[in-house]
Amino acid sequence: MGTSAGKAMSPIGVMGGTFDPIHFGHLRLAEDMADALGLERVLFIPAGQPPHRDAPRTAAGHRLEMVRRAIGGNPRFVADAREVQRPQPSYTVDTLTALRAELGQTQPLWLLLGADAFLGLAGWHDWRRLFELANIAVATRPGAQLLQPGAIIEPLKSEVTQRQVVSCNPPGQPAGAILLRTTPLLDISATAIRGMLARHDSARYLLPDAVLDYIHEYQLYARI
Ligand code: ATP
Ligand code: MG
């Protein structure tokens, strides 16, 4: 599918994360980018064993199921289990390579990132190849000027300066562009949610009730 020449293809978004647990910050980022980029689908891909950070404390199966419950009812959102099903570390570059092989060379792909993840990109495995495989959309807080002098440090900066950087009117190319989108990021993190749950504080209204119900059912995050 998706390889017919000549026809404009609707872009597809890729939203990765540990999702330990998924929360409204992730969902809002994906929804906002889906509108801004005209995404036909956003694939939520929970990491199996993220190589660039500490191993998540919650089993991959639980994190995947929480994603499924969180996105239920949103026709644009799809849960993708490919990384949690792999026994070896899941690198984003490998996932995008697999998607590229499935969807064809002309399919526009957008990797969706929060500014914190984007600024750490140069620490990712084979990171320069990410720009060959997908476009990258970065959500930045209002006032946080990602392109001001000194905001992005080398070597990411030298890569970014070679790329087409836009803040609106996303280009339709399959890969290589960067979109910086100012959006009021919700001040929510999975780390803070885990802390609240361990203290038996309420985390309600920070993540979907369906996810919170699942967490209580399986007694996840009962202690840090
Ligand atoms: P943790 O606290 O465990 O690091 P997290 O809430 O930061 O979890 P991640 O899985 O680390 O979630 O992040 C996945 C992606 O979601 C990253 O691209 C990150 O920038 C983005 N993201 C995380 N929190 C938010 C938020 N509140 N608003 C927008 N994007 C977010
Ligand atoms: Mg994080």
Side-chain angles (χ1 to χ4, degrees), residues 18 23 26 53 116-117 189-191 194:
T18 43
H23 54 68
H26 302 130
R53 52 177 290 169
D116 64 319
S189 74
T191 302
R194 292 194 299 272

Side-chain angles (χ1 to χ4, degrees), residues 2-220:
T3 48
S4 58
K7 253 202 278 170
M9 287 179 182
S10 304
I12 291 176
V14 174
M15 178 74 197
T18 43
F19 302 130
D20 190 16
I22 188 168
H23 54 68
F24 284 136
H26 302 130
L27 293 161
R28 204 38 240 168
L29 169 71
E31 187 74 356
D32 176 76
M33 288 295 189
D35 278 350
L37 297 164
L39 303 178
E40 161 196 67
R41 273 185 285 158
V42 177
L43 308 179
F44 282 74
I45 311 183
Q49 278 182 296
H52 52 85
R53 52 177 290 169
D54 294 340
R57 54 188 305 287
T58 311
H62 282 313
R63 292 184 290 106
L64 174 64
E65 188 55 33
M66 290 190 281
V67 166
R68 288 203 170 115
R69 296 195 182 207
I71 68 178
N74 186 328
R76 287 193 290 196
F77 289 0
V78 178
D80 187 313
R82 71 183 68 227
E83 288 193 9
V84 305
Q85 283 166 349
R86 287 168 56 130
Q88 66 272 52
S90 40
Y91 294 115
T92 301
V93 69
D94 297 331
T95 300
L96 290 177
T97 301
L99 283 171
R100 184 51 76 208
E102 281 169 31
L103 299 166
Q105 293 307 310
T106 55
Q107 169 66 55
L109 284 176
W110 284 90
L111 180 63
L112 311 182
L113 297 176
D116 64 319
F118 177 69
L119 290 172
L121 206 66
W124 293 21
H125 178 69
D126 212 0
W127 65 277
R128 286 182 203 274
R129 220 150 60 78
L130 297 170
F131 294 91
E132 313 297 331
L133 292 162
N135 301 294
I136 298 186
V138 187
T140 66
R141 287 174 199 283
Q145 307 239 323
L146 219 51
L147 288 186
Q148 81 193 0
I152 304 180
I153 55 170
E154 299 290 349
L156 180 60
K157 191 175 168 206
S158 59
E159 186 68 38
V160 169
T161 53
Q162 297 169 40
R163 302 284 162 191
Q164 182 187 5
V165 182
V166 297
S167 57
C168 56
N169 299 327
Q173 65 207 52
I178 299 172
L179 177 99
L180 300 178
R181 180 165 164 81
T182 300
T183 167
L185 297 186
L186 302 176
D187 192 7
I188 302 173
S189 74
T191 302
I193 291 173
R194 292 194 299 272
M196 288 175 196
L197 294 170
R199 292 191 302 273
H200 302 287
D201 288 342
S202 169
R204 205 169 173 198
Y205 309 125
L206 298 176
L207 68 176
D209 285 344
V211 176
L212 213 42
D213 290 346
Y214 184 89
I215 288 170
H216 290 136
E217 188 180 341
Y218 289 92
Q219 298 183 1
L220 308 178

